[in-house]
Amino acid sequence: MRLAKNISFYIIIAFLICLVSSYLKSDFLFKYLTENIIGLLLTLLAINTATLGLIASKIQDMLEKHPKMSFKNTTREMKFSLTEQVILIIVSVIALIVLNSSVVQFQYKELALNTILVGVLIYSVNILWDTGKAVFVIIDLIENMNNKKE
């Protein structure tokens, strides 16, 4: 349910961005996304993977010291975030193919597909933001554990 709520929120924000861009007669964002979104998403995936690797190593260190701790939910969320990013790349590829297709035509095609691309960008940045926050959660947890030892 949380996932559906988040996706709906990102799509609404993306739609509003598309409407504002249309009102301002600016296609900068759409040109940028159609030319660069796949590379951008792959870069964000690489950053996220590296960050998750760091988090996983810290979790492993903590498990060595405290074997009764459980990080099952954390590792499940880490795997899910990588899956989300791969799905976003696939959605982007499909959206770009349809956007550039001369066969597939429908009313508001550009608006709909640009909204999807902007929504994917917002979602990807949110995943990276969430992963970044996890680093600080781990740091706080380690500090709290060290303070308890003293």
Side-chain angles (χ1 to χ4, degrees), residues 2 22 38 43 77 79 110 130 132 145:
R2 182 188 85 205
S22 177
I38 302 303
T43 302
E77 287 295 322
K79 290 175 191 173
E110 276 192 42
D130 194 42
M145 291 172 70

Side-chain angles (χ1 to χ4, degrees), residues 54-150:
L54 172 71
I55 292 169
S57 70
K58 290 300 179 185
I59 288 173
Q60 188 64 35
D61 292 346
M62 292 171 61
L63 286 173
E64 288 176 7
K65 294 177 185 174
H66 306 281
K68 293 186 180 183
M69 293 181 82
S70 175
F71 289 94
K72 287 183 182 181
N73 290 339
T74 304
T75 55
R76 185 178 64 235
E77 287 295 322
M78 290 166 63
K79 290 175 191 173
F80 184 67
S81 77
L82 293 175
T83 303
E84 284 176 310
Q85 286 189 291
V86 170
I87 290 170
L88 290 173
I89 292 168
I90 293 168
V91 167
S92 294
V93 168
I94 293 169
L96 289 170
I97 289 170
V98 173
L99 184 63
N100 290 302
S101 171
S102 58
V103 175
V104 179
Q105 296 296 327
F106 55 91
Q107 190 175 9
Y108 304 116
K109 173 181 163 180
E110 276 192 42
L111 177 63
L113 295 171
N114 284 336
T115 298
I116 289 170
L117 292 175
V118 174
V120 164
L121 176 65
I122 294 168
Y123 197 160
S124 294
V125 170
N126 187 62
I127 291 170
L128 188 63
W129 171 263
D130 194 42
T131 303
K133 289 190 308 187
V135 171
F136 295 106
V137 169
I138 295 291
I139 290 170
D140 288 343
L141 184 60
I142 292 170
E143 284 180 356
N144 288 339
M145 291 172 70
N146 288 339
N147 288 339
K148 286 181 182 178
K149 286 182 181 178
E150 295 172 359

